[in-house]
Amino acid sequence: QSVLTQPPSASGTPGQRVTISCSGSSSNVGSKYVYWYQQFPGTAPKLLIYTNNQRPSGVPDRFSGSKSGTSASLAISGLRSEDEADYYCAAWDDSLSGQVFGGGTKVTVL
Amino acid sequence: EVQLVESGGGLVKPGGSLRLSCAASGFTFSTYSMNWVRQAPGKGLEWVSSISSSSSYIYYADSVKGRFTISRDNAKNSLYLQMNSLRAEDTAVYYCARDLGRIVGNAEFDYWGQGTLVTVSS
């Protein structure tokens, strides 16, 4: 059981908007920044969103992040086939003194 | 170009030991905190351990505390993970990841290695 809770799957047709939720607690999401990682099968994760809502250079602006209280979300607008991947939220947890990840959400483009 | 290259994975029997290495290049290794993150087959990401730039601060996940030891050699630009008393549930791909350290008290893994597979089985 992951400390951060994500839906196991999400899907949409090309062009649609998909949103992934990430629920935590006051010791992690509620008091720390949230980060999102994208992972394709057989490859290492890649930083997608940092400090709740910032995109590293090279990440399309179709990806956006937000946070409110102890929950965060990742939105993919204008869904494309190449967005099919696993997405993980993460945050530092002060109570555990460690990084915690969500269980991951598999995005499927129908 | 930042590169992180893990090595040392392999097949080990339950109760055995293994030492993973991560060779870093393309950046000033001694100024960054580093981490190990693992991923069991078909499962999600699990943070394992982190070590600050000068090794002053070290943290472990409860699942490995007392069995794994993280260390680094800044002169050799290398990160290590000594794994003892290995269990079947430690089977995973182990990634080393750099913490950009943009904001104190948060962890941001901006570069990852390709991973090394550890299989614990009799």
Side-chain angles (χ1 to χ4, degrees), chain A residues 31-35 37 39 42-47 50-51 86 88 92 94 96-104, chain B residues 35 37 39 43-47 50 59-60 62 65 95 100 102-110 112-115:
Chain A
S31 57
K32 298 293 184 181
Y33 285 105
V34 174
Y35 300 82
Y37 298 88
Q39 185 182 34
T43 69
K46 166 193 164 185
L47 180 64
Y50 65 92
T51 57
D86 293 322
Y88 296 89
W92 186 263
D94 274 339
L96 298 174
S97 293
Q99 182 80 334
V100 292
F101 285 94
Chain B
N35 294 260
V37 178
Q39 186 170 35
K43 303 296 184 182
L45 302 174
E46 179 188 17
W47 170 81
S50 72
Y59 303 98
Y60 297 99
D62 287 343
K65 204 171 291 183
Y95 297 100
L100 181 58
R102 193 191 308 264
I103 299 178
V104 173
N106 292 266
E108 178 177 342
F109 303 153
D110 64 335
W112 299 64
Q114 84 289 349

Side-chain angles (χ1 to χ4, degrees), chain B:
Chain B
E1 178 194 5
V2 172
Q3 281 198 319
L4 298 170
V5 180
E6 302 94 337
S7 61
L11 175 63
V12 61
K13 289 182 169 52
S17 299
L18 212 56
R19 189 195 196 207
L20 304 184
S21 299
C22 173
S25 61
F27 65 102
T28 306
F29 179 75
S30 61
T31 62
Y32 290 87
S33 293
M34 297 295 295
N35 294 260
W36 289 99
V37 178
R38 68 184 181 183
Q39 186 170 35
K43 303 296 184 182
L45 302 174
E46 179 188 17
W47 170 81
V48 172
S49 182
S50 72
I51 185 168
S52 62
S53 58
S54 59
S55 304
S56 298
Y57 300 96
I58 290 176
Y59 303 98
Y60 297 99
D62 287 343
S63 57
V64 306
K65 204 171 291 183
R67 300 187 299 122
F68 289 12
T69 301
I70 191 172
S71 63
R72 64 190 296 162
D73 186 335
N74 287 342
K76 294 183 178 180
N77 291 337
S78 293
L79 173 72
Y80 307 101
L81 185 68
Q82 177 66 43
M83 305 185 295
N84 298 331
S85 303
L86 282 162
R87 307 166 179 166
E89 53 265 37
D90 295 319
T91 295
V93 173
Y94 284 73
Y95 297 100
C96 67
R98 186 181 84 166
D99 181 356
L100 181 58
R102 193 191 308 264
I103 299 178
V104 173
N106 292 266
E108 178 177 342
F109 303 153
D110 64 335
Y111 283 95
W112 299 64
Q114 84 289 349
T116 186
L117 176 62
V118 172
T119 303
V120 184
S121 174
S122 54

Side-chain angles (χ1 to χ4, degrees), chain A residues 7-96:
Chain A
S9 64
S11 63
T13 56
Q16 276 190 329
R17 176 183 170 93
V18 169
T19 302
I20 301 167
S21 61
C22 173
S23 178
S25 68
S26 58
S27 63
N28 43 65
V29 175
S31 57
K32 298 293 184 181
Y33 285 105
V34 174
Y35 300 82
W36 290 89
Y37 298 88
Q38 177 189 55
Q39 185 182 34
F40 296 103
T43 69
K46 166 193 164 185
L47 180 64
L48 190 68
I49 296 287
Y50 65 92
T51 57
N52 301 337
N53 55 19
Q54 301 300 303
R55 290 183 306 277
S57 173
V59 173
D61 59 7
R62 301 183 292 102
F63 294 92
S64 62
S66 63
K67 190 188 99 166
S68 178
T70 58
S71 293
S73 63
L74 173 72
I76 311 173
S77 59
L79 193 64
R80 303 176 68 160
S81 58
E82 56 260 41
D83 298 333
E84 273 206 350
D86 293 322
Y87 295 85
Y88 296 89
C89 61
W92 186 263
D93 190 300
D94 274 339
S95 295
L96 298 174

